[in-house]
Amino acid sequence: TQLLEQSPQFLSIQEGENLTVYCNSSSVFSSLQWYRQEPGEGPVLLVTVVTGGEVKKLKRLTFQFGDARKDSSLHITAAQPGDTGLYLCAGITGTASKLTFGTGTRLQVTL
Amino acid sequence: GAGVSQSPSNKVTEKGKDVELRCDPISGHTALYWYRQSLGQGLEFLIYFQGNSAPDKSGLPSDRFSAERTGGSVSTLTIQRTQQEDSAVYLCASSPRAQIGNEQFFGPGTRLTVL
């Protein structure tokens, strides 16, 4: 069974702080996605990373895929209350795009 | 445009009863997925449909769980003889086609509570 462990599980920070969320596995994935989920809604895709070592930036969010394609990180600069939510990494193997989701990191950003 | 819709949004049932959960994917999407999410944690894959191919049922936790997709569109997830451990949010997602890196579009989920 492929497992994706995320850390930390919970994070409560103040507006303007920086943070990093980690997603680790012992398995190799062909690609990895990050989603954000708000209460009462389904996850929404933030980014897909495909190449080992790849770095993608989305405004204040920076995503990195590990060289061995077993781990990833999400860094948020100057967090804002609108960043609050559950962040999920999801690994993809094979051709069916079946996602293996991480354990989740719940982020709360307060004023 | 219309996204993925699921019904009901909430379902409360008694242990031992059967339940049916419905998913309407985005029109034209050939891939459809069911996931289960417990207590705001990560999602657990249940089943996947792609076009007319045989579904991938490898994530179904027991034979009490089944799903079908009629006409390549609407899907129903059925849980027979529900147990308290079945309580969770059941999420459906669709994708234009099953291709590595494709975005999956999720519905809002059905929150199932088994008393």
Side-chain angles (χ1 to χ4, degrees):
Chain A
T1 302
Q2 298 167 319
L3 292 175
L4 275 168
E5 296 288 337
Q6 287 184 236
S7 62
Q9 275 189 298
F10 302 96
L11 195 53
S12 181
I13 61 172
Q14 291 189 321
E15 182 180 21
E17 293 184 22
N18 301 332
L19 66 117
T20 302
V21 177
Y22 299 93
C23 172
N24 295 292
S25 174
S26 57
S27 301
V28 175
F29 293 98
S30 56
S31 61
L32 191 138
Q33 297 180 325
W34 283 91
Y35 288 80
R36 185 172 76 195
Q37 184 179 22
E38 299 189 24
E41 300 180 6
V44 175
L45 180 67
L46 296 174
V47 77
T48 301
V49 285
V50 179
T51 307
E54 182 177 2
V55 177
K56 278 192 175 179
K57 292 191 176 183
L58 183 66
K59 297 183 180 178
R60 293 176 295 100
L61 279 60
T62 301
F63 304 86
Q64 184 165 7
F65 200 14
D67 290 341
R69 305 206 311 277
K70 293 182 179 181
D71 56 86
S72 181
S73 64
L74 157 61
H75 182 79
I76 301 179
T77 302
Q80 299 177 359
D83 296 328
T84 294
L86 178 66
Y87 288 81
L88 297 160
C89 63
I92 300 167
T93 57
T95 59
S97 289
K98 188 169 68 177
L99 297 176
T100 299
F101 277 87
T103 48
T105 295
R106 187 165 297 281
L107 171 65
Q108 180 164 5
V109 183
T110 55
L111 293 170
Chain B
V4 177
S5 61
Q6 293 186 244
S7 60
S9 56
N10 282 284
K11 176 71 177 179
V12 180
T13 190
E14 293 179 347
K15 177 182 174 182
K17 295 286 181 68
D18 298 351
V19 295
E20 284 189 353
L21 312 180
R22 177 187 169 105
C23 171
D24 284 85
I26 294 173
S27 178
H29 282 193
T30 60
L32 186 147
Y33 307 80
W34 283 98
Y35 296 88
R36 179 168 69 175
Q37 185 174 32
S38 301
L39 295 174
Q41 296 184 4
L43 281 68
E44 173 190 7
F45 166 79
L46 296 177
I47 188 169
Y48 150 70
F49 297 88
Q50 170 58 48
N52 296 320
S53 303
D56 177 350
K57 304 179 181 180
S58 60
L60 294 179
S62 77
D63 58 8
R64 296 186 296 104
F65 288 73
S66 63
E68 62 179 20
R69 189 179 184 191
T70 54
S73 181
V74 172
S75 177
T76 302
L77 176 69
T78 301
I79 308 174
Q80 295 178 311
R81 305 180 303 281
T82 52
Q83 304 294 313
Q84 289 182 332
E85 59 263 28
D86 300 333
S87 296
V89 176
Y90 289 82
L91 291 157
C92 173
S94 70
S95 183
R97 60 189 176 280
Q99 181 174 319
I100 290 177
N102 259 9
E103 178 177 0
Q104 294 186 17
F105 295 83
F106 284 82
T110 293
R111 180 176 297 278
L112 174 66
T113 303
V114 182
L115 301 176

